[in-house]
Amino acid sequence: MLLTREGIKDIDRWRHAGIKLPNYDVEKIAEKTKQNPTWLHFGAGNIFRGFIALLQQDLLHKGLTETGIIAVESYDYEIIEKVYIPYDNLSLLVIMHADGTLETEVIGSISDKILADPWSQDWTKLKNIFTNPSLQIASFTITEKAYNLKDFSGEYIKEVKEDIQKGPEKPRNIISKITSLVYERYLKGKYPIALVSLDNFSGNGERLFGSVKTITEEWIKKGMIEEKFLDYLTNPSKVSFPLTMIDKIVPRPSEEVKKKLEGFGIEKMDIIKTSKNTVIAPFVNAEKIHYLVIEDKFPNGRPPLEEAGVIFTDKETVEKVERMKVTTCLNPLHTTLAIFGCLLNYSTIAEEMEDPCLKKLVEKIGYDEGLPVVVHPGVLDPKEFLREVIEIRFPNPYMPDTPQRIATDTSQKMAIRFGETIKSYEQREDLNVTDLKYIPLVIAGWCRYLMGVDDEGRPMTLSPDPLLEDLRSHVSNIKLGDIESVKDNLRPVLSNKHIFGLNLYEVGLGEKIENYFKELIAGAGAVKKTLRKYLECEADK
Ligand SMILES: NC(=O)C1=CN([C@@H]2O[C@H](COP(=O)(O)OP(=O)(O)OC[C@H]3O[C@@H](n4cnc5c(N)ncnc54)[C@H](O)[C@@H]3O)[C@@H](O)[C@H]2O)C=CC1
Ligand SMILES: O=P(O)(O)OC[C@H]1O[C@](O)(CO)[C@@H](O)[C@@H]1O
């Protein structure tokens, strides 16, 4: 069986294998999309194929829209070459249920693919679509770092500097490309559009707006574009930048899933790693549960995505939901499991949830320390959301998600995932920051992790992190089994406001964390022992 438009015409074989097919004519929808494009999506990676394209497929199944999404890739062109073209833009979505069953579906809602490359013929095609009055949405899953125009020292990064010099004709950076395309739309007729960041970080729409505005102002300063463009860009009835909260765990494609698909008789299911390090396959494996909450600001209209489960609401509500997910009910628990999972040599998040100590630790962090400071967002219930994370999502044994993937860039996540809760305890009259027990234990665990030695005393590879080298230099003099070696070495880390959003000594937690840390480095097996002591549990490993 081949995953192509021709291949899926062999309906009986796909059905026999239990694979759901689009109930609409994929080619007809692609043709209508060409005539009347409504939705471009930048960032043709896994979450797009596993979540966003599914939403549009749902509307197509229900007859609530007549067009598909056009995938745009502006960074890793190999994705298009290797997993779009050979499969006629189709993909296989494999939902991993907790009982081991797979729900597999061919996604046909991606109607075309385009390279956002000014040196390719596709650029003219992209400009034509972008200037079409029918276009309602340009959305983005391009990773958080793609929104940065400047480096750590506050200087424009090289490609941005060049784009600013050269103007909107042939930009290289994604933000300059978007600005150039929006400018074309302005020149053509000042048509309205929504630019929707679906990347996973706080204030995503505002950050996209800020970056596009910066490039605009630089080009205006140089007289390269009309000044009036700024009025168009900053008029929300013309160009909007809604805030969003996106939640679905979409791990990298797994070999196990590939083998299962091949077992059904599907050919060419190879997983590839591109030269830009994207790990992608013709299939996407993901959990079933997902949430998407979007500020309802679409000046040129939008598909009725509420019929596919998307929650449309006001800005304040999106902010509250996002805060609930990222600062208390999901991501702090994920980071906790990432740190201790690496130290205790677990290979999946689900295995960790079978360890009574780790399960209890995330329960303490979620229910006891996080929930009291959550502001109820109304549209989702925090306690129920947390229960679902702890009881259903993380323990799913079929989700191939690893502590190492989640441990990536932890230094960038500490302030929002733990610092925000600590700040709330400080501000609230009825709560006492020094009553916090488990968040400080996780922070101590992170310092222990940075030593690059697992709980057995063996060297372990740490996940990429932009501050890794600097952080490691602070723990390099500390030795496992030698409590005296701790001295003042942790002080520069724990007092760093950039990392935690506050100085942990100033709020009275620094010494507590140092004491936990001393217990965690007491010798081989000390991590397990410390968890047992504070959680009154029996660790599995
Ligand atoms: N995978 C997940 O579970 C979830 C991911 N997200 C968001 O989506 C983002 C992407 O995730 P995936 O699609 O799973 O990753 P992926 O690795 O499969 O794809 C990444 C995409 O971003 C593009 N990209 C990377 N750097 C870029 C740059 N500098 N400029 C322009 N484009 C760039 C790549 O070309 C690719 O299209 C995440 O960073 C996150 O913000 C949100 C919720 C869940
Ligand atoms: O890499 P991060 O930001 O820790 O997120 C981990 C995972 O949890 C999620 O936040 C769940 O929605 C996803 O974005 C991601 O798969």
Side-chain angles (χ1 to χ4, degrees):
M1 284 146 80
L2 278 175
L3 181 68
T4 57
R5 285 188 189 169
E6 203 45 46
I8 59 167
K9 285 184 183 155
D10 194 354
I11 296 173
D12 289 343
R13 286 192 73 191
W14 289 87
R15 292 228 170 110
H16 185 71
I19 298 170
K20 197 170 154 191
L21 291 171
N23 75 359
Y24 51 90
D25 184 331
V26 171
E27 289 177 45
K28 233 185 230 161
I29 293 297
E31 195 43 47
K32 284 190 183 169
T33 308
K34 205 181 270 176
Q35 309 302 331
N36 226 12
T38 53
W39 189 349
L40 282 169
H41 182 87
F42 291 73
N46 285 295
I47 186 86
F48 166 60
R49 290 153 66 81
F51 189 7
I52 315 306
L54 174 67
L55 298 173
Q56 191 72 346
Q57 166 124 318
D58 195 358
L59 295 190
L60 285 163
H61 277 158
K62 291 175 176 157
L64 294 172
T65 185
E66 296 207 313
T67 51
I69 308 178
I70 301 169
V72 187
E73 184 51 54
S74 87
Y75 175 76
D76 191 346
Y77 303 145
E78 221 177 318
I79 297 179
I80 300 295
E81 183 200 331
K82 303 247 169 86
V83 300
Y84 278 72
I85 294 171
Y87 305 91
D88 296 336
N89 310 328
L90 297 173
S91 67
L92 261 181
L93 174 60
V94 184
I95 298 294
M96 334 276 296
H97 289 282
D99 61 1
T101 51
L102 301 184
E103 191 184 321
T104 310
E105 170 167 7
V106 172
I107 302 287
S109 60
I110 304 175
S111 293
D112 204 354
K113 49 35 170 127
I114 302 186
L115 300 182
D117 176 6
W119 286 266
S120 120
Q121 288 177 347
D122 275 17
W123 187 245
T124 311
K125 183 172 161 188
L126 180 57
K127 281 208 284 197
N128 286 338
I129 297 171
F130 218 97
T131 54
N132 193 317
S134 66
L135 189 70
Q136 299 177 319
I137 302 174
S139 55
F140 306 87
T141 49
I142 50 177
T143 77
E144 181 170 357
K145 63 185 179 304
Y147 298 79
N148 291 341
L149 299 177
K150 295 183 175 168
D151 58 23
F152 279 123
S153 62
E155 292 286 311
Y156 283 123
I157 51 181
K158 189 168 167 274
E159 99 185 339
V160 170
K161 217 183 272 173
E162 286 172 10
D163 286 349
I164 290 173
Q165 291 303 328
K166 292 183 180 159
E169 279 304 303
K170 288 196 165 177
R172 283 182 191 276
N173 174 271
I174 174 73
I175 301 294
S176 330
K177 287 177 186 175
I178 301 164
T179 313
S180 166
L181 291 164
V182 182
Y183 185 59
E184 291 287 334
R185 191 169 175 84
Y186 157 85
L187 289 178
K188 185 78 184 284
K190 301 188 180 73
Y191 306 124
I193 189 167
L195 302 183
V196 188
S197 168
L198 296 171
D199 274 298
N200 193 26
F201 61 90
S202 309
N204 50 15
E206 283 162 355
R207 185 133 147 233
L208 175 61
F209 170 65
S211 299
V212 171
K213 187 163 168 265
T214 301
I215 297 289
T216 300
E217 286 168 341
E218 293 288 359
W219 282 342
I220 289 176
K221 255 194 256 166
K222 293 200 153 16
M224 285 163 158
I225 59 173
E226 291 177 14
E227 256 184 82
K228 286 234 160 82
F229 174 57
L230 193 59
D231 298 340
Y232 165 78
L233 186 74
T234 53
N235 178 350
S237 68
K238 290 291 182 188
V239 189
S240 71
F241 296 84
L243 287 188
T244 67
M245 186 288 271
I246 180 164
D247 181 20
K248 182 175 188 117
I249 302 174
V250 183
R252 291 171 170 175
S254 109
E255 284 294 333
E256 292 288 301
V257 175
K258 173 190 161 205
K259 281 188 204 131
K260 284 194 180 148
L261 295 173
E262 285 172 343
F264 292 150
I266 309 172
E267 297 162 60
K268 299 191 179 161
M269 288 291 108
D270 287 341
I271 300 169
I272 59 147
K273 184 170 186 181
T274 68
S275 55
K276 290 203 160 155
N277 286 325
T278 310
V279 182
I280 197 157
F283 65 90
V284 178
N285 36 232
E287 63 176 342
K288 173 92 174 168
I289 294 169
H290 56 225
Y291 298 97
L292 183 55
V293 184
I294 305 184
E295 183 185 358
D296 202 359
K297 266 195 334 197
F298 289 79
N300 205 22
R302 59 167 174 79
L305 286 163
E306 58 274 26
E307 301 298 332
V310 178
I311 298 172
F312 287 95
T313 180
D314 55 42
K315 181 174 178 227
E316 289 67 33
T317 306
V318 182
E319 281 168 339
K320 281 184 201 153
V321 179
E322 201 271 342
R323 211 176 144 76
M324 173 201 82
K325 179 210 167 202
V326 181
T327 71
T328 50
C329 294
L330 192 154
N331 296 95
L333 282 55
H334 235 169
T335 294
T336 300
L337 293 172
I339 291 166
F340 286 102
C342 292
L343 282 168
L344 298 175
N345 277 304
Y346 278 102
S347 49
T348 68
I349 296 285
E351 270 177 29
E352 293 189 70
M353 291 300 285
E354 282 175 24
D355 182 321
C357 292
L358 295 178
K359 179 158 190 241
K360 204 162 171 193
L361 180 59
V362 293
E363 285 169 348
K364 292 279 180 199
I365 288 182
Y367 291 113
D368 294 5
E369 298 191 340
L371 264 191
V373 297
V374 170
V375 177
H376 200 305
V379 291
L380 290 176
D381 178 48
K383 197 164 178 193
E384 173 50 23
F385 184 89
L386 186 57
R387 188 200 64 79
E388 192 178 61
V389 165
I390 294 178
E391 303 299 333
I392 299 171
R393 300 176 69 185
F394 286 178
N396 182 342
Y398 298 94
M399 279 290 284
D401 209 4
T402 64
Q404 290 76 18
R405 176 179 90 101
I406 309 297
T408 305
D409 297 347
T410 300
S411 71
Q412 312 295 298
K413 303 171 178 173
M414 278 292 174
I416 178 106
R417 294 185 184 187
F418 299 108
E420 285 300 311
T421 296
I422 297 174
K423 277 186 201 160
S424 301
Y425 270 75
E426 241 212 323
Q427 284 154 9
R428 285 257 300 260
E429 302 241 315
D430 57 329
L431 295 170
N432 192 346
V433 75
T434 50
D435 287 344
L436 288 170
K437 267 198 209 154
Y438 302 99
I439 289 177
L441 180 58
V442 177
I443 298 174
W446 181 53
C447 298
R448 171 67 186 80
Y449 161 91
L450 290 170
M451 290 170 68
V453 177
D454 70 14
D455 195 31
E456 303 294 321
R458 290 176 303 228
M460 66 178 181
T461 308
L462 301 186
S463 302
D465 188 310
L467 297 187
L468 199 57
E469 222 174 290
D470 184 33
L471 289 164
R472 291 205 27 127
S473 71
H474 297 294
V475 294
S476 61
N477 291 326
I478 304 175
K479 299 207 170 37
L480 190 61
D482 180 3
I483 292 174
E484 296 308 315
S485 66
V486 176
K487 295 186 185 139
D488 258 355
N489 282 304
L490 295 186
R491 203 161 258 276
V493 178
L494 301 179
S495 60
N496 190 324
K497 291 187 179 172
H498 292 297
I499 296 180
F500 296 102
L502 36 71
N503 177 336
L504 290 165
Y505 293 94
E506 281 173 11
V507 295
L509 290 179
E511 286 77 11
K512 187 184 239 179
I513 295 169
E514 285 185 9
N515 289 335
Y516 279 138
F517 180 78
K518 285 178 187 160
E519 294 190 56
L520 293 168
I521 67 151
V527 173
K528 234 176 289 171
K529 200 170 155 202
T530 310
L531 289 174
R532 281 198 198 121
K533 174 177 165 189
Y534 289 104
L535 292 149
E536 295 166 15
C537 56
E538 268 310 307
D540 256 12
K541 278 203 170 189

